[in-house]
Structures are given as structure tokens and as C-alpha cells.
Amino acid sequence: MVDSQQTSGLRERIQKAGLWTIAVHVTESGVRLATSLVMTRLLLPQDFGLMAVAITIPVGLGMLSDIGIRSNVIRKSGVLGTDFLTTAWTVQVLRGVLLWGFTLLLAGILYLPHVRRAIPAESILSHPQLPLLVAAMGSILAISGFESVNIYVQERDIQFKPLALRSIISKIIPVPIMVTWGYLYPSVWSLVAGALVAQAILIVSSHISIRGPSMRFTWQRDHAKNLLGDGRWITLSTAGTFLVTQGDRLILAALLTATQMGLYAIAWTLIDVVRSFLLRFHAQITLPVLSELFRTRPASAIEAYYKYRAPIDALTFTTVGLLWIAAPEIVVFLFDKRYEEAGWILQVLALSIASFPYLMINLAFIANDEWRSFAINSAIMTCSFFISVLIGYFLYGWTGVIWGIALYSWPAALILLARAHRRGWVVPIREIAMLPFALVGIGFGFAAKWILQWIGTVL
């Protein structure tokens, strides 16, 4: 009876967590899109390009130096003592301050005359405002270090409601600040102000609205040693994730102008509405599903996996077909003429999500404790990314870079499918069974294109 009650309670918490996760995603996507629609009418494309690069550098430093405090708190068994939590918070604060110092150093290097002469004049890295923007956005690393680690305890207990509410609030409150600033003093600094306000809200709310012990500076040697000792493995794993998910911004920063980077950022904001939902769903659900299937129903695991994947395939391929036809009209309808060129970028980037269903089987290697194979697949993906982007640039300039970003995952996906097929996890005919949904998407695309053009003539 006790086990049944515990299982029921866990299932209920997971269901609630899933609903709150969806609510946060829908809200964040809606706010992000609405904000983009307003701010693009107040600012220039180059402002969004500068912001994209300025935020990528501190985000990259954060991921490349992740020591796993969150994962340590979440997976730690037993009762979490106050000394452990406050020591973890102290380590987190010190890490954030050190990273901001390193960011200031990078910003200073960008100011050096011989460094500026070495950077191509048309590159966004040579923009005179970029060093100061990097320094300002780098302060987020220091600010975020003061976030209470009690939020990780909430995640550990699968209590997502307070986390979701603070996330939603942090996305909504900065909007009027950004819009007012952008209207009165149009510049990239309105975007910076919004980002800093959002981070400040997250910090304050973590201390006043999340249950748990008060944070204070503590240094318990054994706890610190365990935190730092485990962290080196987390750093290695997140490095590859950063290179694939954020590496495009760093490469583009060296190759593109501020205006080109801004157009790319706007197109990426639109495609990310679907992409981020697929990634969030995949990260939270796919591994538990595969683990359960291989553990309890190995004989029917593959059939069940394809049933689980069917709605994901349908959403993915329908979206790709729709955007391939209607992306230029969507951009023209949503934004002014300064951003019109983002239409073809969105059209091409739609292909980047087409490989997503084929990459999902990668988590089957973890479900079967084949960590080495999983790491090899990740390494192949990272290499494919850099090779595709660089080849695209040298052959066709910035147009080739966009195509490289859109298609880099396909070589890795084909290799992954071949490796999974040798283990009996892939049925080739099932991998292409859902492709006709791309034709459905194309039909929707022509309909959307006609409707948007008709609305444009009426307005």
C-alpha cells in the first residue's frame, strides 16, 4: 500500500511538472515573439546582432566552466544539510565572480589596438560597442552566482510550480522597461537593460519565494571537495553541448557583419519556438521512456519507441514543410522591410529541425549504459558542425554558413542511425514512414502564404 501511494504521488508530481513546463514554454515563446515584434520596430538589425554576440560569450564561459552544482544537489541522496547547501552556494558565488573577471579581461582584449587591427573591419567583433556590451552582459555571471541553491532542491523534489512562476514573471516584467527605453533612447542598451532586470528578478525571487535555509557564506571542506571533484566531468560533457548549441554565434561573430548577425538572430528566434519545445520535451521525457522500455519490455521496445515518436515526427515534418514555403511571407508580415532578408534565413533554418527525430535514438545508448558510444556520437556531431559551417563559408560566404548550420546534423544523424541499426534499434522503413507529413506542411505553407499575402493587400 505504501509503495502504491508513493508511486501515485510521484506520478502526480511528474504530471504537474510536465504541465508547468509546457506553461513556461508557451509563455516564454509568446513573450519572446511579442517582444521581438515591438523591439524590431524600435531598433536596427545590427542591435540584435550585437546583443546575440554579447550574450553568447558569457553563456559560453558559463557552460564551459560548469562544475555541476545543480546536478550535485539534485542527485544527492538523503537529507540535504544546511552546510552542504550553503557551501554549494558559496562555491557558486565565487565561480560567478571569477567568470565575470574573465569576461572583463576578454572585453579588455577586444579593446587592444593590435587585436582590433587583426579583426576584419566588417566583422561584428570589430564593432566599437561590443567590448562594453560583453563586459555588461558578463555581469550576469556574477549576479546569477548569488541565486539561491534552494531552487535545485525544488527540482530535486519535482516541485516545479514556484520555479515556473518566477520564470514567467522574470520574462514579463522586463518587457515594458525594454520597450520604454527603446522608444525614448533607441539602442542595443535597451536589450541589455531587459536582460539585467530579468536576472535580478530571478535572484531576488530565489531568496524570498523558494522554501529552504537562508543562504550564507560557508566553506565546509569535504562538501567543497566533492562539489569541485565531480565538476570536472560535468565540464567535459557541457563543453560539447555548448559548441553545438551556441557555437554558431561565435563562428558567425567572426564571419558576419552586425546587420547580418541581427537578421540571423531574428530568424533563429522564430525557428526556436518549435526547436526549443522539441528539445525541452526530448530532454525531459525521451530518456525515461527509453530506459523503461528497454528495462521492462525489450522485445517490444522498438515498436513502442516508434509509436512514442510518431507525433513528434508529425509536428517536425509538418513545420519544416510549412516554413519552407511560407517563411519569407511570415517574416514580411511580422517585421518591417529592414528585416525582410531574415525570411530566406528562416526558410533554410527550418531544415535544421528536420533531422531531430532521427537523432532521438542517441539516448538509447545511455538507456543501455553505452556511455562511450553516446560520447562518440556527440563528438561526431560537434565535428560535423564545424566542418559544415566552415566549408559553407569558404564556398558561398555567409549564405553557405546558414546552409551549413541547417544541414550539419545530417551526416551525424546518418552515422547514428547506422550504429543504432547494427544493434537492432532502427527499422529503416519506419524512419521514413512519417515523411509525407512534410507534404501536409507544404500544403499548409501555401495556404499560409496566400492568407498572409491577402491580409497584406487588405491592410
Side-chain angles (χ1 to χ4, degrees), residues 3 25 28 51 58 68 78 91 117-118 145 153 177 209 241 287 309 324 333 420 430 443:
D3 289 342
H25 177 78
E28 288 181 354
M51 185 62 177
V91 173
R117 286 194 296 268
V153 180
I177 297 174
S209 66
T241 302
L287 181 57
R309 224 184 75 180
W324 182 252
F333 181 77
R430 300 296 295 272

Side-chain angles (χ1 to χ4, degrees), residues 125-451:
L125 294 178
S126 65
H127 196 284
Q129 288 194 70
L130 184 61
L132 190 56
L133 287 169
V134 170
M137 295 307 298
S139 66
I140 288 180
L141 294 169
I143 297 172
S144 63
F146 287 88
E147 191 170 40
S148 172
V149 298
N150 288 322
I151 63 173
Y152 308 144
V153 180
Q154 293 289 305
E155 290 187 60
R156 177 178 182 261
D157 297 336
I158 318 180
Q159 299 292 340
F160 277 32
K161 180 179 178 179
L163 304 180
L165 290 175
R166 63 191 285 271
S167 179
I168 291 173
I169 292 172
S170 71
K171 297 298 186 297
I172 295 175
I173 291 180
V175 174
I177 297 174
M178 285 191 293
V179 173
T180 303
W181 191 320
Y183 178 77
L184 296 176
Y185 307 102
S187 75
V188 65
W189 291 100
S190 59
L191 302 176
V192 174
L196 293 176
V197 170
Q199 191 61 53
I201 293 171
L202 289 174
I203 300 305
V204 174
S205 63
S206 72
H207 289 277
I208 65 176
S209 66
I210 305 298
R211 294 179 303 171
S214 298
M215 295 293 104
R216 65 178 187 272
F217 289 106
T218 305
W219 191 265
Q220 216 288 333
R221 185 174 180 179
D222 291 338
H223 293 323
K225 183 178 180 181
N226 290 334
L227 288 165
L228 297 173
D230 292 340
R232 65 182 184 273
W233 304 112
I234 305 294
T235 300
L236 291 174
S237 63
T238 56
T241 302
F242 164 72
L243 292 175
V244 171
T245 59
Q246 301 286 333
D248 58 335
R249 307 291 179 90
L250 295 181
I251 291 179
L252 293 177
L255 303 178
L256 305 185
T257 66
T259 297
Q260 291 171 335
M261 189 69 183
L263 294 171
Y264 174 81
I266 292 299
W268 188 259
T269 297
L270 296 177
I271 195 66
D272 199 48
V273 172
V274 177
R275 180 180 176 274
S276 60
F277 174 76
L278 292 173
L279 288 174
R280 181 173 290 181
F281 185 88
H282 176 57
Q284 294 184 345
I285 310 257
T286 302
L287 181 57
V289 167
L290 287 173
S291 298
E292 178 71 16
L293 290 174
F294 280 111
R295 183 173 62 252
T296 61
R297 293 186 288 162
S300 59
I302 303 306
E303 179 65 24
Y305 162 69
Y306 280 111
K307 289 182 179 179
Y308 160 76
R309 224 184 75 180
I312 299 173
D313 288 27
L315 173 63
T316 300
F317 296 131
T318 300
T319 301
V320 171
L322 187 153
L323 291 178
W324 182 252
I325 299 299
E329 278 68 27
I330 291 174
V331 171
V332 169
F333 181 77
L334 294 176
F335 305 101
D336 60 48
K337 289 186 177 181
R338 295 174 299 172
Y339 297 88
E340 188 172 349
E341 199 172 356
W344 74 264
I345 301 175
L346 175 61
Q347 186 178 40
V348 174
L349 289 180
L351 300 177
S352 67
I353 63 173
S355 62
F356 179 83
Y358 304 115
L359 296 169
M360 292 176 64
I361 197 63
N362 193 26
L363 290 184
F365 290 94
I366 295 180
N368 287 275
D369 292 326
E370 295 190 32
W371 286 91
R372 180 175 178 273
S373 295
F374 176 80
I376 291 173
N377 295 333
S378 299
I380 292 173
M381 179 74 77
T382 303
C383 292
S384 178
F385 170 78
F386 283 103
I387 292 173
S388 299
V389 171
L390 292 176
I391 289 177
Y393 176 74
F394 285 116
L395 291 180
Y396 301 106
W398 92 293
T399 302
V401 170
I402 303 301
W403 277 96
I405 293 172
L407 301 177
Y408 80 88
S409 58
W410 280 104
L414 294 175
I415 295 173
L416 171 62
L417 289 175
R419 302 184 76 212
H421 184 261
R422 288 199 295 268
R423 291 163 172 78
W425 299 341
V426 168
V427 181
I429 190 64
R430 300 296 295 272
E431 291 295 330
I432 61 174
M434 303 297 285
L435 281 176
F437 274 96
L439 299 178
V440 175
I442 289 174
F444 285 146
F446 279 115
K449 182 177 181 178
W450 180 84
I451 292 172

